[in-house]
Amino acid sequence: MAADQRPKADTLALRQRLISSSCRLFFPEDPVKIVRAQGQYMYDEQGAEYIDCISNVAHVGHCHPLVVQAAHEQNQVLNTNSRYLHDNIVDYAQRLSETLPEQLCVFYFLNSGSEANDLALRLARHYTGHQDVVVLDHAYHGHLSSLIDISPYKFRNLDGQKEWVHVAPLPDTYRGPYREDHPNPAMAYANEVKRVVSSAQEKGRKIAAFFAESLPSVGGQIIPPAGYFSQVAEHIRKAGGVFVADEIQVGFGRVGKHFWAFQLQGKDFVPDIVTMGKSIGNGHPVACVAATQPVARAFEATGVEYFNTFGGSPVSCAVGLAVLNVLEKEQLQDHATSVGSFLMQLLGQQKIKHPIVGDVRGVGLFIGVDLIKDEATRTPATEEAAYLVSRSLRDSEWSGGMEGNRSQVQPVSHNTLGVLFQFSEEMDMEEKVRSCETLRLQP
């Protein structure tokens, strides 16, 4: 029996029997069985249509014909590991290099964002000769053991914080210690990193790296104040460490104004290592690490080969090249700017209309809506957010953020103004969220 012909209840029963409960589904109370997708739409087994507003994977749209064609054509010719000389891997590296500052000129190809961040950690440690890592509170950098250790979002529910991990405050100007009325929040938050570094050094620790998503997503769709990364990099490099920019969820033109989210921090800021994944393969398992020459050379000097069986395969690189071609041909970076601005305006109207909407923030198609119970205290409206998401199921919105009160909006890059207007209309809380005081969980 074809999977899309099996009754939903039977599929769910099989999954519960065969798949670990640790592998969770969206909307676990009533999972959606998605059987196909096209562009910005997904369809369940009954043919119901959903707008995908949390796609940080199908970046240029589900099943984009040019991406599918590139994978199919290369699969018919050759797919093997990267130990053979082949045009695709060098062509892809060259195309990626054209999007990055010239200092980031050495590339490693992998299969997932977790693999990329794990390699970045290895590169940082080999280059610096140090062990310790500074991360932002509530960060998540991947599922490997090495990355769980530097992900407060995860390790606080597991083995706790390792002695070589140091946590700095999230640069959140809405809910953090230095808010929108602070005269210089970038410096204030950067000084918190300096304080964390100094505290570690007093204990005899040596910093290898500062890891940060260029726009923290799991932490609540945070937009760090401009200038923050440059000042943090100064403190980290002075301590002998390197700056790792995790672009896995936010890169590849999603922010609109720039191809990479770290570029929002100013043209003079350049990370030492950049990691990328998810969107760069549009659903195909592709990931990459870009590093400076000094960092890469230190790794090479160990004499230990880096080999990844499927990383940089001809098919993976053909897919990666196709995604870049679509981004350019369909001008999706400019599109992210225009439709993102439009959606921010629509959601801003919701903020004026409904007291429960405490903050609307974002850039391009990376947007967060912060729901609150009280404007003065900004108490997170966690239950209300869960209710809103359950009522907005057909728009595939997801409740995210460190306190469960923030709605994450990361639609595919080619959503139209009409589709996003429809999304905003569904987000309108006239019936769903009348006020902070009256909203209650309902069946």
Side-chain angles (χ1 to χ4, degrees):
M1 180 185 293
D4 59 349
Q5 296 176 351
R6 181 185 295 121
K8 174 180 170 180
D10 292 351
T11 301
L12 182 59
L14 277 171
R15 181 183 174 96
Q16 291 172 338
R17 178 163 64 87
L18 299 170
I19 308 299
S20 169
S21 62
S22 298
C23 305
R24 298 176 183 175
L25 293 166
F26 284 137
F27 317 109
E29 297 81 9
D30 185 18
V32 183
K33 184 180 180 182
I34 297 297
V35 298
R36 67 183 181 92
Q38 188 69 48
Q40 65 267 54
Y41 296 107
M42 305 177 81
Y43 301 88
D44 67 16
E45 80 285 2
Q46 300 297 325
E49 182 179 88
Y50 301 78
I51 304 171
D52 186 355
C53 284
I54 55 167
S55 181
N56 53 18
V57 176
H59 191 53
V60 299
H62 291 280
C63 302
H64 194 289
L66 295 182
V67 178
V68 172
Q69 180 183 4
H72 176 65
E73 290 181 353
Q74 184 58 54
N75 255 320
Q76 291 183 306
V77 178
L78 172 71
N79 193 26
T80 185
N81 65 58
S82 57
R83 279 192 167 127
Y84 296 101
L85 189 64
H86 197 274
D87 287 338
N88 285 7
I89 190 170
V90 293
D91 289 345
Y92 189 32
Q94 184 172 17
R95 286 286 299 279
L96 286 174
S97 71
E98 293 167 0
T99 71
L100 288 159
E102 63 181 4
Q103 298 95 316
L104 293 159
C105 57
V106 182
F107 297 86
Y108 304 82
F109 291 102
L110 316 93
N111 307 293
S112 71
S114 289
E115 285 189 356
N117 278 338
D118 179 73
L119 177 58
L121 182 59
R122 289 177 62 191
L123 290 170
R125 285 174 167 167
H126 277 292
Y127 175 67
T128 64
H130 300 167
Q131 177 78 6
D132 291 25
V133 177
V134 179
V135 294
L136 294 176
D137 206 358
H138 310 288
Y140 174 66
H141 293 290
H143 64 82
L144 299 180
S145 295
S146 61
L147 305 175
I148 295 295
D149 286 344
I150 64 170
S151 299
Y153 173 72
K154 290 290 186 179
F155 71 57
R156 288 205 171 105
N157 296 316
L158 295 169
D159 298 330
Q161 185 172 337
K162 300 291 193 297
E163 63 177 357
W164 53 269
V165 177
H166 313 280
V167 180
L170 193 66
D172 182 353
T173 57
Y174 179 71
R175 196 176 293 283
Y178 310 111
R179 300 187 174 184
E180 64 272 13
D181 58 350
H182 192 280
N184 193 340
M187 178 179 290
Y189 279 113
N191 283 339
E192 289 292 327
V193 175
K194 181 180 180 181
R195 177 187 58 78
V196 168
V197 169
S198 296
S199 177
Q201 290 175 325
E202 289 171 2
K203 300 173 184 176
R205 310 299 306 187
K206 295 182 178 180
I207 305 300
F210 174 84
F211 264 77
E213 283 189 282
S214 299
L215 297 174
S217 54
V218 171
Q221 307 295 97
I222 304 302
I223 312 298
Y228 169 69
F229 280 176
S230 294
Q231 295 179 65
V232 168
E234 183 179 345
H235 299 318
I236 293 297
R237 288 165 180 160
K238 185 177 180 180
V242 297
F243 193 110
V244 180
D246 180 339
E247 291 271 340
I248 291 164
Q249 291 208 56
V250 298
F252 259 59
R254 174 168 292 281
V255 300
K257 296 177 181 178
H258 301 283
F259 199 81
W260 303 103
F262 72 78
Q263 293 170 322
L264 292 166
Q265 291 286 314
K267 63 180 181 180
D268 295 329
F269 170 68
V270 179
D272 301 286
I273 302 171
V274 172
T275 60
M276 55 195 90
K278 293 188 186 294
S279 59
I280 74 172
N282 208 57
H284 188 87
V286 185
C288 179
V289 175
T292 63
Q293 285 275 7
V295 169
R297 297 300 169 251
F299 191 61
E300 293 164 5
T302 65
V304 177
E305 176 190 20
Y306 179 77
F307 173 63
N308 188 306
T309 302
F310 300 109
S313 74
V315 170
S316 293
C317 291
V319 168
L321 283 164
V323 172
L324 287 174
N325 289 338
V326 172
L327 283 168
E328 183 177 329
K329 180 180 179 180
E330 299 184 9
Q331 300 180 315
L332 294 183
Q333 186 178 334
D334 291 339
H335 190 70
T337 298
S338 59
V339 298
S341 297
F342 177 71
L343 183 55
M344 285 286 288
Q345 291 175 13
L346 293 177
L347 294 173
Q349 293 170 11
Q350 301 290 341
K351 181 178 183 297
I352 295 172
K353 189 175 183 180
H354 302 292
I356 195 171
V357 181
D359 190 35
V360 175
R361 55 181 173 268
V363 57
L365 289 174
F366 179 88
I367 297 171
V369 180
D370 201 313
L371 303 186
I372 57 173
K373 293 180 180 291
D374 178 80
E375 185 176 359
T377 63
R378 300 183 180 181
T379 303
T382 305
E383 295 83 4
E384 290 86 344
Y387 168 68
L388 173 63
V389 169
S390 69
R391 287 291 300 268
S392 300
L393 174 58
R394 72 186 181 89
D395 297 302
S396 294
E397 188 199 1
W398 176 67
S399 176
M402 61 184 179
E403 294 168 287
N405 65 301
R406 296 167 185 159
S407 293
Q408 173 179 315
V409 186
Q410 291 180 214
V412 298
S413 294
H414 73 296
N415 264 300
T416 64
L417 297 180
V419 169
L420 293 181
F421 183 78
Q422 178 185 349
F423 167 76
S424 178
E425 288 290 291
E426 287 300 319
M427 278 287 290
D428 192 325
M429 293 160 262
E430 186 67 49
E431 296 299 327
K432 302 172 188 172
V433 184
R434 293 187 180 275
S435 73
C436 299
E437 292 75 27
T438 61
L439 178 64
R440 294 293 182 268
L441 294 177
Q442 300 178 23

